[in-house]
Short mmCIF file of all heavy atoms in Angstrom, two decimals:
data_model
loop_
_atom_site.label_atom_id
_atom_site.label_comp_id
_atom_site.label_asym_id
_atom_site.label_seq_id
_atom_site.Cartn_x
_atom_site.Cartn_y
_atom_site.Cartn_z
N PRO M 84 92.84 118.74 97.99
CA PRO M 84 93.73 119.55 98.82
C PRO M 84 94.03 118.92 100.18
O PRO M 84 94.85 119.44 100.93
CB PRO M 84 92.98 120.87 98.97
CG PRO M 84 91.56 120.55 98.68
CD PRO M 84 91.57 119.38 97.73
N TYR M 85 93.38 117.81 100.50
CA TYR M 85 93.59 117.14 101.78
C TYR M 85 94.45 115.89 101.66
O TYR M 85 94.79 115.27 102.66
CB TYR M 85 92.24 116.78 102.41
CG TYR M 85 91.38 117.99 102.57
CD1 TYR M 85 90.32 118.24 101.71
CD2 TYR M 85 91.63 118.91 103.58
CE1 TYR M 85 89.53 119.37 101.85
CE2 TYR M 85 90.86 120.06 103.72
CZ TYR M 85 89.81 120.27 102.85
OH TYR M 85 89.05 121.40 102.99
N ASN M 86 94.80 115.47 100.45
CA ASN M 86 95.59 114.26 100.24
C ASN M 86 97.06 114.57 100.50
O ASN M 86 97.75 115.13 99.65
CB ASN M 86 95.39 113.75 98.81
CG ASN M 86 96.21 112.51 98.53
OD1 ASN M 86 97.03 112.09 99.34
ND2 ASN M 86 95.99 111.92 97.37
N THR M 87 97.56 114.18 101.66
CA THR M 87 98.94 114.51 102.04
C THR M 87 99.97 113.63 101.35
O THR M 87 101.16 113.77 101.62
CB THR M 87 99.13 114.44 103.57
OG1 THR M 87 98.77 113.13 104.01
CG2 THR M 87 98.32 115.50 104.27
N TYR M 88 99.54 112.76 100.48
CA TYR M 88 100.48 112.07 99.61
C TYR M 88 100.84 113.01 98.45
O TYR M 88 101.81 112.77 97.74
CB TYR M 88 99.91 110.76 99.09
CG TYR M 88 99.96 109.67 100.14
CD1 TYR M 88 98.99 109.60 101.14
CD2 TYR M 88 101.00 108.75 100.16
CE1 TYR M 88 99.05 108.63 102.12
CE2 TYR M 88 101.06 107.77 101.14
CZ TYR M 88 100.09 107.72 102.12
OH TYR M 88 100.16 106.77 103.09
N ILE M 89 100.05 114.09 98.28
CA ILE M 89 100.28 115.06 97.22
C ILE M 89 100.49 116.46 97.81
O ILE M 89 101.46 117.13 97.49
CB ILE M 89 99.09 115.08 96.23
CG1 ILE M 89 98.90 113.68 95.60
CG2 ILE M 89 99.29 116.13 95.15
CD1 ILE M 89 97.63 113.53 94.80
N VAL M 90 99.58 116.91 98.66
CA VAL M 90 99.62 118.25 99.28
C VAL M 90 99.29 118.10 100.75
O VAL M 90 99.33 117.01 101.28
CB VAL M 90 98.63 119.23 98.59
CG1 VAL M 90 99.05 119.50 97.16
CG2 VAL M 90 97.23 118.69 98.65
N SER M 91 98.86 119.19 101.42
CA SER M 91 98.44 119.03 102.81
C SER M 91 97.45 120.10 103.23
O SER M 91 97.51 121.22 102.77
CB SER M 91 99.63 119.05 103.76
OG SER M 91 100.26 120.30 103.73
N GLY M 92 96.55 119.69 104.12
CA GLY M 92 95.58 120.58 104.72
C GLY M 92 94.92 119.89 105.89
O GLY M 92 94.87 118.65 105.93
N PRO M 93 94.40 120.64 106.87
CA PRO M 93 93.76 120.03 108.04
C PRO M 93 92.54 119.20 107.65
O PRO M 93 91.82 119.55 106.73
CB PRO M 93 93.34 121.22 108.90
CG PRO M 93 94.01 122.41 108.32
CD PRO M 93 94.38 122.09 106.92
N ILE M 94 92.32 118.09 108.36
CA ILE M 94 91.20 117.20 108.06
C ILE M 94 90.19 117.11 109.19
O ILE M 94 89.19 116.42 109.05
CB ILE M 94 91.69 115.79 107.68
CG1 ILE M 94 92.53 115.18 108.81
CG2 ILE M 94 92.47 115.83 106.38
CD1 ILE M 94 92.81 113.70 108.66
N CYS M 95 90.47 117.77 110.32
CA CYS M 95 89.51 117.76 111.42
C CYS M 95 89.85 118.90 112.37
O CYS M 95 90.87 119.57 112.21
CB CYS M 95 89.53 116.42 112.18
SG CYS M 95 90.99 116.17 113.22
N ASN M 96 88.99 119.10 113.34
CA ASN M 96 89.25 120.07 114.39
C ASN M 96 90.01 119.31 115.49
O ASN M 96 89.40 118.55 116.24
CB ASN M 96 87.93 120.64 114.91
CG ASN M 96 88.12 121.80 115.84
OD1 ASN M 96 89.21 122.34 115.96
ND2 ASN M 96 87.05 122.18 116.52
N PRO M 97 91.32 119.48 115.58
CA PRO M 97 92.10 118.67 116.53
C PRO M 97 91.87 119.07 117.98
O PRO M 97 91.53 120.21 118.29
CB PRO M 97 93.54 118.94 116.12
CG PRO M 97 93.51 120.26 115.44
CD PRO M 97 92.16 120.38 114.80
N SER M 98 92.08 118.12 118.85
CA SER M 98 91.97 118.35 120.29
C SER M 98 93.14 119.21 120.77
O SER M 98 94.19 119.27 120.11
CB SER M 98 91.98 117.02 121.04
OG SER M 98 93.24 116.39 120.88
N PRO M 99 93.00 119.83 121.93
CA PRO M 99 94.14 120.57 122.50
C PRO M 99 95.37 119.68 122.68
O PRO M 99 96.50 120.14 122.48
CB PRO M 99 93.61 121.07 123.85
CG PRO M 99 92.13 121.16 123.66
CD PRO M 99 91.79 120.01 122.73
N GLU M 100 95.16 118.41 123.01
CA GLU M 100 96.29 117.49 123.18
C GLU M 100 97.04 117.27 121.86
O GLU M 100 98.26 117.19 121.84
CB GLU M 100 95.81 116.15 123.75
CG GLU M 100 95.26 116.22 125.14
CD GLU M 100 93.75 116.52 125.20
OE1 GLU M 100 93.14 116.80 124.15
OE2 GLU M 100 93.20 116.48 126.30
N ALA M 101 96.30 117.16 120.77
CA ALA M 101 96.93 116.97 119.47
C ALA M 101 97.68 118.24 119.05
O ALA M 101 98.77 118.16 118.47
CB ALA M 101 95.90 116.58 118.42
N ILE M 102 97.10 119.40 119.32
CA ILE M 102 97.77 120.66 119.00
C ILE M 102 99.06 120.77 119.81
O ILE M 102 100.12 121.12 119.28
CB ILE M 102 96.85 121.87 119.27
CG1 ILE M 102 95.66 121.84 118.30
CG2 ILE M 102 97.62 123.18 119.14
CD1 ILE M 102 94.55 122.82 118.64
N TYR M 103 98.99 120.44 121.09
CA TYR M 103 100.17 120.47 121.95
C TYR M 103 101.25 119.53 121.39
O TYR M 103 102.42 119.89 121.31
CB TYR M 103 99.81 120.10 123.38
CG TYR M 103 100.96 120.22 124.34
CD1 TYR M 103 101.28 121.45 124.91
CD2 TYR M 103 101.75 119.12 124.64
CE1 TYR M 103 102.35 121.57 125.78
CE2 TYR M 103 102.84 119.24 125.50
CZ TYR M 103 103.13 120.46 126.06
OH TYR M 103 104.21 120.59 126.91
N ALA M 104 100.84 118.31 120.99
CA ALA M 104 101.79 117.36 120.43
C ALA M 104 102.40 117.88 119.12
O ALA M 104 103.58 117.67 118.86
CB ALA M 104 101.12 116.01 120.19
N ALA M 105 101.59 118.58 118.32
CA ALA M 105 102.11 119.15 117.07
C ALA M 105 103.18 120.20 117.37
O ALA M 105 104.15 120.34 116.62
CB ALA M 105 100.98 119.76 116.25
N LEU M 106 103.01 120.92 118.46
CA LEU M 106 103.98 121.93 118.86
C LEU M 106 105.19 121.34 119.57
O LEU M 106 106.30 121.86 119.48
CB LEU M 106 103.31 122.97 119.77
CG LEU M 106 102.30 123.88 119.09
CD1 LEU M 106 101.47 124.62 120.13
CD2 LEU M 106 103.02 124.86 118.17
N TYR M 107 104.97 120.25 120.30
CA TYR M 107 106.02 119.66 121.12
C TYR M 107 106.15 118.16 120.86
O TYR M 107 105.67 117.33 121.63
CB TYR M 107 105.74 119.93 122.60
CG TYR M 107 105.64 121.39 122.91
CD1 TYR M 107 104.40 122.00 123.10
CD2 TYR M 107 106.78 122.19 122.96
CE1 TYR M 107 104.31 123.37 123.34
CE2 TYR M 107 106.69 123.56 123.21
CZ TYR M 107 105.45 124.12 123.39
OH TYR M 107 105.36 125.48 123.63
N PRO M 108 106.81 117.80 119.75
CA PRO M 108 106.98 116.37 119.45
C PRO M 108 107.90 115.69 120.46
O PRO M 108 108.66 116.36 121.17
CB PRO M 108 107.62 116.39 118.06
CG PRO M 108 108.30 117.72 117.97
CD PRO M 108 107.46 118.67 118.78
N ASP M 109 107.84 114.39 120.49
CA ASP M 109 108.73 113.60 121.35
C ASP M 109 110.16 113.84 120.87
O ASP M 109 110.55 113.44 119.77
CB ASP M 109 108.35 112.12 121.23
CG ASP M 109 109.17 111.23 122.12
OD1 ASP M 109 110.42 111.25 122.01
OD2 ASP M 109 108.58 110.50 122.93
N GLU M 110 110.95 114.50 121.69
CA GLU M 110 112.31 114.90 121.29
C GLU M 110 113.23 113.72 121.03
O GLU M 110 114.11 113.79 120.17
CB GLU M 110 112.92 115.83 122.35
CG GLU M 110 112.27 117.20 122.38
CD GLU M 110 112.37 117.99 121.07
OE1 GLU M 110 113.38 117.83 120.34
OE2 GLU M 110 111.43 118.73 120.76
N SER M 111 113.04 112.62 121.75
CA SER M 111 113.90 111.45 121.49
C SER M 111 113.59 110.86 120.12
O SER M 111 114.50 110.43 119.40
CB SER M 111 113.76 110.40 122.59
OG SER M 111 112.47 109.83 122.59
N TYR M 112 112.32 110.85 119.71
CA TYR M 112 111.96 110.35 118.38
C TYR M 112 112.43 111.30 117.29
O TYR M 112 112.76 110.87 116.19
CB TYR M 112 110.46 110.09 118.29
CG TYR M 112 110.06 108.72 118.77
CD1 TYR M 112 110.38 108.29 120.06
CD2 TYR M 112 109.36 107.85 117.96
CE1 TYR M 112 110.02 107.04 120.51
CE2 TYR M 112 109.00 106.59 118.40
CZ TYR M 112 109.33 106.20 119.68
OH TYR M 112 108.98 104.94 120.11
N VAL M 113 112.45 112.60 117.58
CA VAL M 113 113.00 113.57 116.62
C VAL M 113 114.50 113.32 116.48
O VAL M 113 115.03 113.18 115.37
CB VAL M 113 112.73 115.03 117.06
CG1 VAL M 113 113.51 116.01 116.21
CG2 VAL M 113 111.24 115.34 117.00
N ALA M 114 115.20 113.22 117.61
CA ALA M 114 116.66 113.03 117.60
C ALA M 114 117.06 111.73 116.92
O ALA M 114 118.08 111.67 116.23
CB ALA M 114 117.20 113.08 119.02
#
Side-chain angles (χ1 to χ4, degrees):
Y85 303 103
N86 179 353
T87 57
Y88 283 81
I89 301 171
V90 294
S91 64
I94 58 168
C95 73
N96 189 12
S98 66
E100 294 88 353
I102 294 169
Y103 185 84
L106 290 166
Y107 302 103
D109 183 303
E110 290 300 328
S111 66
Y112 273 56
V113 170

